Amino acid sequence: MAFDPSSTLLATGSGDSTVKVWDIEKQYCTNNLRGHQGVVSLVQFHPDTSNCRLLTASDDYIIRLWDLQTHGCVAELGGHFSTVTSLRFSRGCSVMYSASRDSTVFVWDMTTFKKKAISVFEPIESLILLPKSETEIGNSISDDERFVTAGNQGILKVWSVAKSTCVSQSQKLDRITTGSEQETNELSFVYADYIKVLDVILAVTYGGNIILYRKDDFSFYKQFAGNNDEVYCIRFFGTDDRSIAVATNSSAIKVFDVSTWSCQIVTGHTDIVMSLDTHDSDGTTYMVSGGKDNAVRLWTINNATGHVDCRAVGIGHNRTVSAVILLKCNSEYLVSASNDLSLKLWRYSVDGDGKGQLKVKQTVTGVHSKDINAITVSPKDRFIATASQDKTAKLWDTMSLSLVAVFSGHSRGVQCVQFSPTENILGTSSADKTIKLWELKNFKCIKTFEGHESSVLSFQFLSRGLQLISSGADGLVKLWLVRTNECTKTFDEHEDKVWTLAVNKKEDRLITGSADSRIFIWEDRTEEEKEAQRIKNQEFVENQERLENLLLDRKYSKAFALAILLEQPFRALNILKDIWKLPTREEYLTATLSQLRSDQIETVLEFASVWNSNSKHSHVAQAVIAMIFKTLGPDRLLEFSNIRKLVENLLPYTERHHSRLKLLEQKSEFIDYACMLSSILEPMDVEHS
């Protein structure tokens, strides 16, 4: 669909091969145009509003020009052999450019309908004409007509109409990030346009990512990640952990600046990336990744510029690299685990030509009997631990990869394994819904945590091993106290499996990634909450002292208002009872209630409904209710938000009190009758005696 330049007409194309034009203001169809064969894929109004013409294209690959006044087809422009994706007019509207997925751009003379073909050597999704005032486009200066194309190569290209050649182009995304020449479908452009307000070119990739290019040199201005799909792995890195690296259901790694959420899309893997790890060293972050392409890649991230470079690629595994880890004390070494059931120790080095390379230093095969799910390294790089679907976790010596211990106890596959910061405890989580802690002195299980309703997919130690934070397939994130095995907090924000979580160095931020495609950042507000509670308690004590002083000074009106503020219904009741003892109680009570705001009166009614439920306090409650109802009247009472609920609460107890008083009245009349009889019978008894 498309609007005309005046935004009063809307043209729509349909799968029934028709085009309809609608009057937006009067809301009726002005034209029903027939003639196409197949789905109408493109509609566009002629920019010259005096012509009142419409251009359309469909699956028959023909561009049709319609006169909306005569409802007829003026011209059929053939020549393309695939879907027409874009139509653009020159500044004088005398020349039209049509782009198609047949890798051809036609330049049409709209007077004679003659065309000139320009081969662009890739299927085109969008064609852009930049403003006439621009003499420099993509670092190419010329006076002839030029246009920009965006297609499946993921490159913006500037073409000269006179020479029918490409005179300039942008750098491809994977070249700027990895140096790889491999085509990636996710980076193909599906839409591009010039954004005049920002003076940038916007391009949308097949993977749902948005990239903004500077118009003068086609350099990257900003990138935004689109749909994440399932989030498999997240790691913090950089100064103050202000950046995160994310592995999703994609061959690209997404690097986010958490403060702005601007994104850099890092490509290089040829299949889905399954695992990540990062390590900061001297202003540079080392990142290792492993994926379903059986490869291990080592990257460096410049924390000042955010630029990501692929330093080396490790080839050696025969199946998916399911887990990778960088050593903490020596970032030259890394360890990878694969579904080929092998464990490899790699060392990064630079050869004589300055090229980085990963060489295998140690290899162990048959590590587990089933797929390896996770790997971790101890704080001092002494041990490596692995977790597997074979229901076990294993402990290995880091440099020799010799087996140290086997941990058996889970009834289903082990999903995650972590060392405590003190290095004497190993934690494992499993699909059996539990987390277990193992002592590394005797390799025995010392604690088991139960509480998740499904598989525990990931966890981390906090507070020097005194707490645990875990995530599960039930979509829950739980905080545990290790000493008591108690779950102290449960967070329920995700709607699907929480595959991964990460904690920053200060342990004041937690980030979680889920199969619901969402990433949540959690902040530790414990200190702020403690400070707020301390201030609240201090204010409460001060108000209590003030309330006591007001009662000693017999300033009941102010004391009653303060009791309402402190939300103390029975303290307010006692104040009313003191007022009720005064000789001028009704006048004093009326004056006290008249000084209250509407919200305070509503609170008093809520208090009164509580008092009214007890016969000991009902007389005071009924007096207050009667006085408020008489003073305010029905119109003001109806303005209260919960007046209906208050009345419903008051009615049954009020009826009960009324019945009780009626019975008391009847009994008092019987006493009067008995007294009267006694006064009559008394003289007779005297005479008889």
Side-chain angles (χ1 to χ4, degrees), residues 17 92 97 117 135 234 286 318 359 448 459 484 645 649:
S17 305
Y97 298 84
T135 58
I234 297 178
Y286 291 91
N318 299 322
K359 291 184 178 180
T448 299
F459 74 96
T484 61
K645 184 178 178 181
N649 292 338

Side-chain angles (χ1 to χ4, degrees), residues 370-596:
K370 291 186 179 180
D371 290 350
I372 302 172
N373 292 326
I375 186 171
T376 188
V377 63
S378 61
K380 297 179 181 179
D381 293 346
R382 184 181 175 189
F383 297 114
I384 289 172
T386 56
S388 171
Q389 283 294 109
D390 64 5
K391 307 176 187 178
T392 67
K394 293 186 178 182
L395 189 68
W396 309 82
D397 180 80
T398 300
M399 300 312 293
S400 65
L401 295 186
S402 57
L403 182 62
V404 177
V406 179
F407 304 93
S408 301
H410 286 290
S411 59
R412 300 186 71 178
V414 182
Q415 300 293 331
C416 184
V417 59
Q418 294 288 342
F419 284 96
S420 72
T422 56
E423 208 176 33
N424 58 351
I425 299 293
L426 181 71
T428 58
S429 68
S430 169
D432 63 8
K433 311 175 188 178
T434 66
I435 302 171
K436 291 182 180 291
L437 299 186
W438 310 79
E439 192 173 19
L440 295 184
K441 291 182 179 179
N442 52 22
F443 311 120
K444 292 183 179 180
C445 178
I446 57 175
K447 282 184 180 293
T448 299
F449 300 83
E450 297 179 351
H452 277 282
E453 299 175 0
S454 191
S455 302
V456 185
L457 301 175
S458 184
F459 74 96
Q460 289 276 349
F461 283 95
L462 297 174
S463 306
R464 296 188 177 183
L466 299 178
Q467 290 179 306
L468 286 174
I469 188 81
S470 63
S471 65
D474 51 11
L476 301 178
V477 177
K478 290 180 176 287
L479 181 65
W480 306 83
L481 193 61
V482 172
R483 182 172 56 85
T484 61
N485 289 42
E486 179 187 0
C487 176
T488 59
K489 200 83 172 178
T490 298
F491 307 97
D492 185 10
E493 292 294 336
H494 286 289
E495 299 174 357
D496 209 335
K497 302 180 187 71
V498 184
W499 285 112
T500 180
L501 59 82
V503 181
N504 67 348
K505 297 181 185 71
K506 293 182 179 179
E507 295 189 354
D508 59 356
R509 273 191 174 188
L510 166 73
I511 191 163
T512 56
S514 168
D516 61 10
S517 304
R518 295 190 294 177
I519 297 172
F520 282 106
I521 291 185
W522 312 78
E523 290 189 353
D524 183 3
R525 297 300 180 102
T526 305
E527 295 301 323
E528 291 85 344
E529 290 178 358
K530 286 182 179 179
E531 181 63 20
Q533 187 62 40
R534 187 191 65 79
I535 295 173
K536 185 177 179 180
N537 293 339
Q538 183 178 350
E539 291 178 351
F540 179 79
V541 171
E542 292 175 353
N543 285 327
Q544 285 291 103
E545 293 177 355
R546 182 184 170 200
L547 180 60
E548 295 295 337
N549 293 332
L550 290 172
L551 290 174
L552 289 174
D553 296 339
R554 295 179 176 272
K555 296 180 179 179
Y556 296 121
S557 295
K558 292 183 178 180
F560 185 68
L562 187 56
I564 295 171
L565 178 65
L566 296 175
E567 296 183 354
Q568 297 180 353
F570 289 99
R571 177 59 70 92
L573 175 64
N574 291 330
I575 295 172
L576 288 176
K577 287 181 177 180
D578 291 338
I579 294 175
W580 208 248
K581 296 176 183 177
L582 299 175
T584 57
R585 57 191 180 192
E586 292 186 2
E587 293 82 359
Y588 200 100
L589 182 59
T590 303
T592 300
L593 295 175
S594 63
Q595 296 175 10
L596 301 178

